[in-house]
Amino acid sequence: MKPRLLCPGPTPAPEETLLELARPVTFHRSAQFRAVVKEVTEDLGKVFGTKQPVMTITASGTGAMEAATSNLLVPGGKAICLISGRWGERWRGLCKAFGVTAIEITVPYGEAVPPSALEKALAEHPDATVVFSTLSETATGVVNDIQGYAAITRNRPQVLVVDGISGLGVMPCPMDEWGVDVVVTGSQKALMLPPGLAFIALSEKAWKVVEANYALPNPPRTFYFDLRKYRDNLKGNDTPFTPANTLVKALRLSLKRLLEEGLENCYRRHARMAAAARAAAQGLGMELLAKTPSNGLTVFKVPAGVDGQAILGVLEKEHGIRIAGGQDVLKGKILRLAHMGYIDFFEVLAAVSALELALPKFGHAVTPGEAVAACQKAYTATA
Ligand SMILES: *Cc1c(COP(=O)(O)O)cnc(C)c1O
């Protein structure tokens, strides 16, 4: 059976990227590797939409989230966490770990946090110095209005931090243009690379906060994640610690692919796949969880009385299709179908087709071909 990976991370990597990973290991303190670092840093700047240096850290995406928290805040500080799901909750968890008071602005799963809620929170907590947000809430499939948040924070002292881990490279989030202060992402979602790298960029405003924090008598407690080290080493196209250099060389090729397609085309392709996946809902007899859906994944609500975890098992064992279920309280209740990075329309079609085959086994009747046809129609309509 041919395995097909359609989870919202990790996602498949293109052939040229995988072939690069099969090459011999090389030494990283070399002119050749510095040239690679220079190139990927420039290309990452295009994806992030920033003139600031984009730093590459050997860690999963959470490493960059931790770096943002520990450098921008000191114990006793206060941050506003905009929470629309599990990944927004991770910001709250990071605040707790670093002794930061988290003001939680929470919406029910499936909803986005409206910018007006941020406006209100800032009025009530003007002493908060950081706002944590999530571009694409991968737990629920919701996209949040980052541009709306940035319009509020850009003329205030607060620093806006965005978890772009499943959104960057899928939907626009031009950091400098929108006035976003910090963007973090990881390698294994839309950037078409295996897990292992995290990326982060800071605006001038955010760097000032970081520098001021390190000048305090009680400075941030960091070593590996001291972002000043990454920034300063990058001036010589170098890294403070041993980088995952094989992954960085592979990243070069995935970024080339992305930029050759062009960011606008890439966003359009994701929008079309998303439109197709959403159109499948009716034919599958399922509702969408997200009120404002992300273009990187589509989340279906499992019909009442049907075991979502069991559906996943049938999809994988009988059809080789690996999609994701829900996490925590959403376990068994939702199905998450990714269409980001190196996943194409025909794989989305395959997954929808497999769902049509699998759902009747759980007493949930569907008309074969109906959802597939709806996908094709939506795909054509958005051409
Ligand atoms: C996947 C994901 C993360 C977690 O990243 P790790 O690489 O597992 O540390 C965080 N936020 C979002 C939005 C994600 O999709």
Side-chain angles (χ1 to χ4, degrees):
M1 198 181 320
K2 183 170 178 177
R4 292 174 210 268
L5 183 61
L6 289 123
C7 287
T11 63
E15 291 82 350
E16 71 271 17
T17 301
L18 294 173
L19 285 170
E20 177 62 45
L21 287 167
R23 293 167 71 96
V25 177
T26 53
F27 186 57
H28 55 290
R29 307 290 182 207
S30 67
Q32 289 91 324
F33 188 63
R34 280 192 287 274
V36 174
V37 170
K38 183 168 189 284
E39 191 177 333
V40 299
T41 304
E42 283 168 10
D43 285 351
L44 283 165
K46 291 175 194 158
V47 176
F48 275 61
T50 186
K51 294 214 154 43
Q52 297 296 326
V54 181
M55 296 162 284
T56 298
I57 304 175
T58 302
S60 83
T62 306
M65 295 173 76
E66 173 158 341
T69 312
S70 61
N71 282 258
L72 287 164
L73 289 147
V74 289
K78 196 189 244 193
I80 293 170
C81 297
L82 307 179
I83 302 176
S84 52
R86 176 191 168 95
W87 298 116
E89 288 162 12
R90 180 151 294 184
W91 285 126
R92 178 182 67 197
L94 281 160
C95 285
K96 185 156 180 265
F98 287 94
V100 170
T101 302
I103 304 302
E104 297 172 41
I105 308 301
T106 306
V107 292
Y109 289 161
E111 289 179 25
V113 180
S116 59
L118 171 60
E119 190 94 56
K120 187 161 168 277
L122 283 170
E124 284 165 17
H125 302 277
D127 55 333
T129 58
V130 175
V131 175
F132 288 117
S133 65
T134 314
L135 171 58
S136 171
E137 179 44 84
T138 323
T140 63
V142 158
V143 64
N144 281 295
D145 183 0
I146 301 300
Q147 193 173 13
Y149 304 154
I152 295 167
T153 54
R154 71 185 301 165
N155 298 316
R156 298 193 203 210
Q158 282 82 12
V159 165
L160 175 65
V161 182
V162 176
D163 170 357
I165 295 178
S166 74
L168 211 69
V170 170
M171 296 167 291
C173 184
M175 195 176 146
D176 292 356
E177 190 190 319
W178 285 1
V180 173
D181 295 298
V182 179
V183 173
V184 305
T185 195
S187 54
Q188 79 277 25
K189 309 273 168 102
L191 295 186
M192 303 181 283
L193 210 70
L197 296 179
F199 311 97
I200 181 167
L202 280 70
S203 68
E204 260 175 58
K205 178 171 143 189
W207 276 119
K208 281 194 186 126
V209 172
V210 170
E211 295 293 354
N213 282 343
Y214 280 103
L216 291 171
N218 173 29
R221 291 220 182 172
T222 58
F223 186 86
Y224 187 74
F225 287 132
D226 180 344
L227 289 174
R228 298 170 308 169
K229 292 178 183 163
Y230 291 86
R231 177 197 59 191
D232 295 347
N233 274 273
L234 211 44
K235 286 178 186 146
N237 299 309
D238 221 328
T239 57
F241 311 105
T242 306
N245 59 343
T246 49
L247 281 175
V248 174
K249 286 189 282 185
L251 169 69
R252 191 183 137 255
L253 295 167
S254 285
L255 289 172
K256 282 262 155 303
R257 171 180 278 268
L258 206 170
L259 294 172
E260 264 162 29
E261 178 180 19
L263 280 174
E264 291 307 319
N265 292 333
C266 183
Y267 299 150
R268 199 170 315 126
R269 176 169 58 82
H270 282 95
R272 288 184 74 192
M273 288 194 293
R278 284 170 213 151
Q282 201 181 359
L284 294 172
M286 293 195 286
E287 281 173 31
L288 300 175
L289 177 64
K291 297 216 170 81
T292 53
S294 161
N295 287 346
L297 73 159
T298 295
V299 180
F300 301 104
K301 286 200 240 176
V302 174
V306 176
D307 178 356
Q309 290 302 109
I311 297 175
L312 295 180
V314 169
L315 290 180
E316 187 165 25
K317 283 197 195 71
E318 294 185 17
H319 307 295
I321 304 258
R322 186 70 177 88
I323 67 170
Q327 300 147 310
D328 307 328
V329 294
L330 290 174
K331 192 166 181 176
K333 301 209 169 96
I334 57 170
L335 299 173
R336 297 182 301 148
L337 167 63
H339 30 77
M340 66 176 88
Y342 193 57
I343 291 174
D344 74 1
F345 168 65
F346 289 97
E347 287 172 302
V348 173
L349 217 47
V352 169
S353 172
L355 277 167
E356 285 189 332
L357 295 174
L359 284 167
K361 298 196 165 154
F362 297 89
H364 182 73
V366 296
T367 309
E370 196 178 315
V372 167
C375 278
Q376 293 180 340
K377 279 181 199 148
Y379 192 69
T380 306
T382 50

